[in-house]
C-alpha cells in the first residue's frame, strides 16, 4: 500500500535534510554543490556504498537502522584505510512505502550517527522510485598525505590480524529471518549487529601507523582476504580454529555437528565490518596495547607467505570453499 503524506523533493530537503548539513561547507543545501576547502598536508579519501531493499536490508527493517547501516558500512571503509571521516553526500531513492513518517525515521538514524561519529551532511539528491527503495552515500575523510593504507602492501613474513568477531553479520541475517535456534537475547544481539554494525573508526590510527595492508570485512573474511592477497601479490594463510567468534556466535557454533562446515559459513557470510589487516611481527605487541586501550578484541589468525590467494586450514588440513563470500553482481 503506498504511503501517504509525502512532501515534495524541496520540502523534504528543507525540513529533513537541511538541519543535518554542515553549517558552512554544505551551504544549507540551498545550492547545487558543496564547497570543501583543502586541508594542508592531507589527502582527501573518498568511499561510496549503496544499499538496496531486498538485497542489503529487508523490507521490514526500520528505516532508522537502514540509514545507520548505510553510514556505518561507509565508515568501515574509511577506518580500514586509516582515515578520519568528516562529511558525506547522500542519495535517497524513496519507494512508495516511504511516506513522511518513514522519511523522518530515516533522518533520525542519520542524525544519531552524525552525532556519534562527528560528521555532517554536505549535499546529495532525493528522488521517488516505483521501488525497491535504495540509498547511496559517498563518505569523505582526511588522512596525512601519502599515508593511506591500501590492500596492496602485505609482505611475506607479515602476520594477519582481525578486529572483533567474525560471523555475526551472517548469523544476524539468519536471526532477522527467523532461522536461528538460540535464546532470544542472543538472537537480538546478532540481529542488531546485522542492522547496525559497529565500524572500527577508533582503530583507524593504529591501522594507519602499523598496518602494511588492510581491508574491511564486508563480503566475507575469506573473500576480502583474497582481495588483499591479490592486490599485494602474496599468499595469505589462515587457521580457521583461531577465527574469533562472539559469545552468541560461539553458542551457535557449539551446537553444530560439522564444525568445519559451520566455520565455513561464518568466514564466508559477510556483513561483519571488522578490519582484516597485515602487519610486521615486530608491531604485534604495540597493536595489542592499542586494541586493549580501546577495549577492542584483536586476534592473530594467520601469516603472509610468498605465493598467491588464501590458504585456509582446519585441524591441520587444507580447506577449500565452494564460495568465498558475497558477490554484488
Amino acid at each position: 500500500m503506498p504511503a501517504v503524506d509525502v512532501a515534495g523533493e524541496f520540502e523534504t530537503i528543507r525540513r529533513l535534510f537541511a538541519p543535518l548539513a554542515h553549517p558552512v561547507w554544505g551551504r544549507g543545501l540551498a545550492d547545487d554543490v558543496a564547497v570543501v576547502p583543502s586541508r594542508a598536508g592531507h589527502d582527501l579519501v573518498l568511499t561510496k556504498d549503496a544499499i538496496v531493499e531486498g538485497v542489503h536490508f529487508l523490507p521490514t527493517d526500520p528505516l532508522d537502522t537502514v540509514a545507520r547501516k548505510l553510514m556505518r558500512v561507509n565508515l568501515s571503509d574509511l577506518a580500514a584505510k586509516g582515515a578520519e571521516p568528516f562529511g558525506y553526500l547522500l542519495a535517497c531513492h524513496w519507494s512508495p512505502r516511504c511516506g513522511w513518517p518513514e522519511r523522518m525515521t530515516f533522518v533520525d538514524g542519520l542524525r544519531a550517527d552524525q552525532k556519534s561519529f562527528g560528521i555532517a551532511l554536505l549535499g546529495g539528491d532525493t528522488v521517488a522510485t516505483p521501488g525497491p527503495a535504495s540509498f547511496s552515500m559517498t563518505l569523505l575523510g582526511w588522512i596525512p598525505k601519502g599515508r593511506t593504507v591500501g590492500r596492496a602492501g602485505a609482505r611475506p613474513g607479515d602476520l594477519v590480524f582481525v578486529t572483533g568477531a567474525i560471523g555475526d553479520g551472517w548469523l544476524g541475517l539468519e536471526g532477522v529471518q527467523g532461522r536461528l535456534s538460540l535464546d532470544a537475547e542472543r538472537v537480538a544481539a546478532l540481529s542488531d549487529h546485522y542492522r547496525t554494525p559497529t565500524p572500527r573508526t577508533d582503530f583507524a590510527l593504529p591501522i594507519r601507523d602499523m598496518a602494511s595492508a588492510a581491508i574491511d570485512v564486508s563480503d566475507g573474511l575469506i573473500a576480502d582476504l583474497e582481495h588483499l592477497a591479490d592486490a599485494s601479490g602474496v599468499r595469505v594463510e589462515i587457521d580457521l580454529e583461531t577465527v574469533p567468534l562472539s559469545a552468541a556466535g560461539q553458542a551457535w557454533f557449539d551446537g553444530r555437528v560439522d564444525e568445519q562446515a559451520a566455520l565455513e559459513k561464518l568466514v564466508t557470510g559477510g556483513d561483519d565490518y571488522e578490519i582484516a589487516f597485515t602487519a610486521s611481527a615486530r608491531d604485534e605487541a604495540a597493536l595489542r596495547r592499542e586494541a586493549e586501550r580501546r577495549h577492542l578484541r584483536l586476534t592473530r589468525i594467520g601469516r603472509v607467505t610468498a605465493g598467491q590467494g588464501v590458504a585456509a586450514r582446519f585441524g591441520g588440513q587444507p580447506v577449500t570453499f565452494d564460495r568465498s563470500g558475497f558477490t554484488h553482481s
Side-chain angles (χ1 to χ4, degrees):
M1 178 179 178
V4 296
D5 188 28
V6 178
E9 173 188 3
F10 296 107
E11 187 177 4
T12 296
I13 293 170
R14 179 179 62 82
R15 291 175 58 186
L16 290 184
F17 290 113
L20 301 183
H22 190 281
V24 178
W25 302 335
R27 297 190 166 200
L29 303 189
D31 207 333
D32 293 320
V33 299
V35 178
V36 179
S38 61
R39 185 173 176 183
H42 287 72
D43 290 326
L44 183 64
V45 183
L46 300 91
T47 186
K48 183 182 185 68
D49 266 306
I51 58 176
V52 179
E53 186 176 70
V55 179
H56 305 96
F57 64 94
L58 302 178
T60 54
D61 283 345
L63 285 186
D64 58 334
T65 67
V66 173
R68 295 174 71 194
K69 183 170 186 177
L70 176 65
M71 184 174 289
R72 289 165 181 234
V73 301
N74 278 279
L75 285 165
S76 181
D77 277 325
L78 285 193
K81 303 301 104 183
E84 170 195 352
F86 83 94
Y88 65 99
L89 301 170
L90 176 70
C92 298
H93 312 101
W94 308 110
S95 69
R97 82 170 176 103
C98 299
W100 188 255
E102 289 78 15
R103 297 184 188 197
M104 290 178 66
T105 299
F106 184 86
V107 169
D108 286 343
L110 292 177
R111 182 182 297 109
D113 272 4
Q114 279 196 186
K115 183 176 181 181
S116 294
F117 297 104
I119 59 178
L121 178 63
L122 299 173
D125 196 16
T126 173
V127 299
T129 175
S134 64
F135 306 93
S136 175
M137 181 178 289
T138 301
L139 189 62
L140 294 79
W142 297 112
I143 195 165
K145 189 170 290 293
R147 299 288 301 280
T148 302
V149 181
R151 297 179 181 183
R155 301 173 294 268
D158 283 351
L159 303 178
V160 183
F161 299 90
V162 70
T163 62
I166 293 298
D168 282 8
W170 177 79
L171 286 170
L173 177 58
E174 295 287 294
V176 298
Q177 294 179 324
R179 297 199 292 253
L180 281 186
S181 298
L182 291 174
D183 65 72
E185 184 176 347
R186 295 195 190 281
V187 172
L190 292 166
S191 299
D192 285 346
H193 177 90
Y194 171 73
R195 290 193 172 108
T196 54
T198 301
R200 299 305 183 183
T201 52
D202 284 351
F203 206 61
L205 183 58
I207 291 293
R208 188 186 78 195
D209 289 344
M210 288 179 274
S212 55
I215 188 169
D216 82 316
V217 182
S218 54
D219 296 337
L221 178 65
I222 300 300
D224 288 314
L225 285 175
E226 286 178 345
H227 300 326
L228 187 152
D230 290 346
S232 295
V234 297
R235 178 183 177 94
V236 171
E237 300 180 354
I238 67 167
D239 302 308
L240 292 181
E241 294 99 327
T242 65
V243 171
L245 305 181
S246 68
Q250 189 68 52
W252 176 85
F253 178 78
D254 289 343
R256 304 305 100 188
V257 174
D258 189 336
E259 292 185 346
Q260 179 176 319
L263 274 174
E264 289 181 28
K265 290 182 182 296
L266 298 178
V267 298
T268 62
D271 260 1
D272 290 314
Y273 301 102
E274 298 293 348
I275 302 176
F277 67 96
T278 59
S280 170
R282 67 175 178 271
D283 289 324
E284 181 173 10
L287 283 163
R288 293 194 180 282
R289 286 194 298 270
E290 294 296 331
E292 186 175 351
R293 284 182 53 224
R294 293 163 173 80
H295 306 289
L296 175 64
R297 187 176 181 182
L298 181 67
T299 306
R300 172 159 52 92
I301 60 171
R303 64 208 63 82
V304 179
T305 64
Q308 61 183 11
V310 172
R313 300 180 74 84
F314 180 77
Q317 299 301 312
V319 175
T320 57
F321 301 94
D322 292 332
R323 58 185 290 273
S324 58
F326 180 79
T327 56
H328 298 271
S329 60

